[in-house]
């Protein structure tokens, strides 16, 4: 038996599934689009880990602006092949990279059995930098089939970061002047000045080293980057 009226699936109650995805029939969608019978669901940092009759997967929400990103990831994964395997979206029965729920779009990915890297030794840093170097080496000749203009930031990082800085200033102003501050407003005001100071110093350093020009010069060594490197992504 794959479904249970009380629990929905083992490990997560039906109302918990709805709270995560705001979807009443997410399990049925997975069966319809992929032929998967979900046996267990585990929420982890904004995603769902799924144990199914055909193995383990990850379910992620897809924002409208991220459609091209997943398309490019699938294209890049195909280009890299077995030289440097990266997780690519699992296509639906109709060959699509994402599927529509009632409220959101979703992408299904293979689950990678691994633990976050602990940055505590020189050897770990050495292994990671070698891996990243190999990734850049293997992708420097990658030519996507589409332009993906929004995803091409080489030579435009300074503009992007200045816009981000202005957004932070706006958030600080709104939180300061709102008549009914929320806990989020209060928490943001506690760290806003520090965050803005760090961002300002980064922008000054980037300008001093002519960062955008450096990025353009480095294109011959690799032009694909992760874009969101933090410990939980290693």
């Amino acid at each position: 038996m794959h479904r249970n009226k009380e629990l929905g699936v083992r490990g997560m109650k039906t109302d918990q599934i709805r709270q995560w995805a705001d979807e009443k029939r997410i399990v049925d969608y997975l069966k319809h689009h992929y032929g998967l019978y979900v046996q267990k669901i585990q929420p982890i940092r904004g995603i769902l880990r799924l144990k199914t009759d055909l193995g383990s997967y990850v379910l992620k929400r897809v924002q409208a602006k991220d459609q091209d990103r997943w398309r490019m990831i699938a294209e890049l994964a195909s280009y890299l092949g077995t030289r440097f395997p990266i997780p690519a979206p699992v296509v639906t029965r109709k060959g699509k990279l994402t599927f529509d729920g009632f409220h959101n779009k979703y992408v299904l990915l293979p689950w990678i059995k691994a633990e976050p890297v602990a940055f505590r030794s020189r050897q770990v840093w050495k292994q990671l930098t070698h891996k990243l170097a190999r990734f850049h080496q293997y992708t420097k000749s990658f030519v996507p089939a589409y332009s993906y203009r929004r995803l091409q930031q080489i030579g435009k990082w300074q503009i992007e970061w200045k816009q981000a800085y202005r957004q932070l200033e706006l958030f600080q102003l709104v939180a300061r002047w709102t008549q009914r501050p929320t806990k989020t407003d209060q928490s943001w005001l506690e760290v806003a000045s520090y965050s803005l100071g760090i961002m300002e110093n980064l922008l000054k350093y980037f300008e001093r080293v002519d960062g955008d020009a450096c990025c353009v010069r480095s294109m011959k060594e690799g032009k694909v980057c992760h874009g969101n490197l933090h410990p939980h992504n290693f």
Side-chain angles (χ1 to χ4, degrees):
M1 179 179 290
H2 299 288
R3 298 287 303 277
N4 180 291
K5 290 183 178 179
E6 182 181 356
L7 290 179
V9 287
R10 184 160 55 90
M12 192 173 183
K13 294 182 180 180
T14 302
D15 58 349
Q16 290 178 303
I17 298 173
R18 293 173 185 171
Q19 184 178 3
W20 179 86
D22 199 20
E23 302 280 3
K24 295 181 179 180
R25 302 183 60 189
I26 194 71
V27 174
D28 297 323
Y29 293 150
L30 291 165
K31 179 182 176 183
H32 172 74
H33 290 291
Y34 301 97
L36 297 175
Y37 288 92
V38 180
Q39 299 166 341
K40 185 177 180 181
I41 293 181
Q42 180 184 5
I44 304 175
R45 294 184 174 274
I47 65 171
L48 289 184
R49 179 184 179 184
L50 310 173
K51 183 178 180 181
T52 77
D53 59 326
L54 297 179
S56 295
Y57 298 89
V58 169
L59 187 68
K60 293 174 65 77
R61 298 184 192 90
V62 176
Q63 298 181 10
K65 64 180 182 179
D66 288 335
Q67 287 280 78
D68 279 351
R69 177 172 172 265
W70 288 111
R71 190 177 184 179
M72 190 182 75
I73 288 174
E75 196 177 338
L76 181 62
S78 177
Y79 172 82
L80 289 170
T82 58
R83 294 179 300 162
F84 198 102
I86 63 173
V90 180
V91 297
T92 67
R93 285 172 164 174
K94 293 184 178 180
K96 295 183 177 181
L97 299 178
T98 62
F99 69 90
D100 291 319
F102 189 76
H103 294 283
N104 298 288
K105 283 183 177 292
Y106 301 93
V107 63
L108 189 71
L109 300 163
W111 172 259
I112 299 175
K113 187 177 181 181
E115 295 292 333
V117 173
F119 296 87
R120 297 196 184 98
S121 70
R122 181 178 179 180
Q123 185 62 25
V124 169
W125 280 100
K126 186 176 180 180
Q127 289 175 352
L128 286 173
T129 53
H130 282 182
K131 283 280 188 180
L132 285 172
R134 283 182 55 218
F135 176 74
H136 288 303
Q137 180 183 6
Y138 290 146
T139 59
K140 65 182 180 181
S141 299
F142 173 61
V143 180
Y146 301 91
S147 62
Y148 300 114
R149 291 181 181 177
R150 192 185 63 80
L151 299 174
Q152 294 188 23
Q153 301 296 339
I154 296 176
K156 300 185 295 184
W157 285 113
Q158 187 170 342
I159 294 173
E160 290 289 318
W161 291 346
K162 283 185 175 180
Q163 289 177 346
Y165 181 80
R166 285 193 289 269
Q167 277 190 323
L168 292 178
E169 286 185 313
L170 179 61
F171 294 157
Q172 183 187 37
L173 186 64
V174 171
R176 182 179 295 163
W177 290 101
T178 182
Q179 294 182 351
R180 296 181 179 179
T182 64
K183 289 183 178 180
T184 302
D185 293 325
Q186 294 168 357
S187 298
W188 168 237
L189 287 174
E190 291 176 1
V191 299
S193 296
Y194 174 78
S195 300
L196 285 165
I198 292 292
M199 192 73 176
E200 186 176 359
N201 287 334
L202 286 172
L203 282 167
K204 287 180 180 179
Y205 179 76
F206 195 76
E207 290 176 0
R208 191 177 301 167
V209 299
D210 200 6
D212 279 329
C214 290
C215 290
V216 172
R217 289 195 298 270
S218 70
M219 281 182 65
K220 62 181 180 180
E221 305 297 339
K223 55 193 174 187
V224 178
C225 70
H226 187 284
N228 188 22
L229 289 180
H230 62 76
H232 291 289
N233 279 334
F234 278 107

